Amino acid sequence: MSHCCRHHNCIEELKADHEIILAELVKLEADPAGYAKEFLKFTANFAEPHHHKEEEVLFPALERKGIPNQGGPIGVMLMEHETKRGYVKELAAGKIEAAANIISLLREHIAKENDILYPLAQQVLSEEELAAMADRCEAIGKG
Ligand SMILES: [Fe+2]
Ligand SMILES: [Fe+2]
């Protein structure tokens, strides 16, 4: 059983993912050139699945509750995922300076999700909905 499966609330699982992502950013920041390859593996195996949990499970659930996508917080989060993917491609192509962009973007992105979007989700989604979403997130986490 991986760490993800202890969570029976989607938001708790996503928050736990954030802590793991933030710890990786500290390692990338300490040695961007030396850690880039490891970080790219982490991105593919963990950070991307995390973004997919949001894009495929959380954001659609929030939209169904009337939280706007276009011009709203979900649209901003989706745009930031795409910007990050662009920076990751640059890093994969050997542009080490992209590491600093990934680090600052993700730190701000995670802070916004933790402080604004996730509390909103916990307000509008019931425990049952969050539990059902956790099962779907778990499946994405397993790839
Ligand atoms: Fe996100
Ligand atoms: Fe996130």
Side-chain angles (χ1 to χ4, degrees):
M1 188 182 269
S2 74
H3 65 90
C4 72
C5 311
R6 293 197 306 267
H7 302 282
H8 291 292
N9 171 315
C10 174
I11 297 301
E12 294 307 321
E13 172 173 342
L14 293 172
K15 272 197 219 164
D17 287 353
H18 282 173
E19 293 308 310
I20 293 168
I21 293 169
L22 289 171
E24 284 295 304
L25 295 181
V26 172
K27 293 187 205 170
L28 182 64
E29 191 171 42
D31 183 10
Y35 199 68
K37 213 176 147 200
E38 271 306 303
F39 184 80
L40 289 168
K41 265 194 265 173
F42 170 79
T43 299
N45 296 329
F46 191 89
E48 264 306 313
H50 170 82
H51 303 321
H52 280 281
K53 293 173 194 175
E54 293 173 338
E55 292 171 359
E56 292 165 31
V57 181
L58 177 64
F59 298 167
L62 290 177
E63 281 184 71
R64 286 193 292 273
K65 296 285 175 181
I67 311 287
N69 178 336
Q70 293 296 316
I74 296 169
V76 175
M77 295 302 115
L78 286 170
M79 217 168 55
E80 290 179 354
H81 287 181
E82 285 309 311
T83 304
K84 184 234 171 177
R85 286 172 177 134
Y87 293 151
V88 166
K89 275 189 195 141
E90 292 177 358
L91 187 65
K95 192 180 166 201
I96 297 302
E97 309 89 84
N101 290 332
I102 294 170
I103 293 164
S104 63
L105 182 141
L106 272 184
R107 282 181 178 152
E108 286 175 34
H109 179 78
I110 285 172
K112 278 185 256 184
E113 289 181 338
N114 282 351
D115 298 345
I116 300 165
L117 199 68
Y118 290 2
L120 184 67
Q122 280 180 309
Q123 272 177 27
V124 299
L125 296 160
S126 70
E127 281 304 314
E128 291 74 21
E129 287 169 317
L130 289 165
M133 287 160 62
D135 291 341
R136 296 184 54 212
C137 281
E138 197 179 298
I140 293 172
K142 282 178 185 154

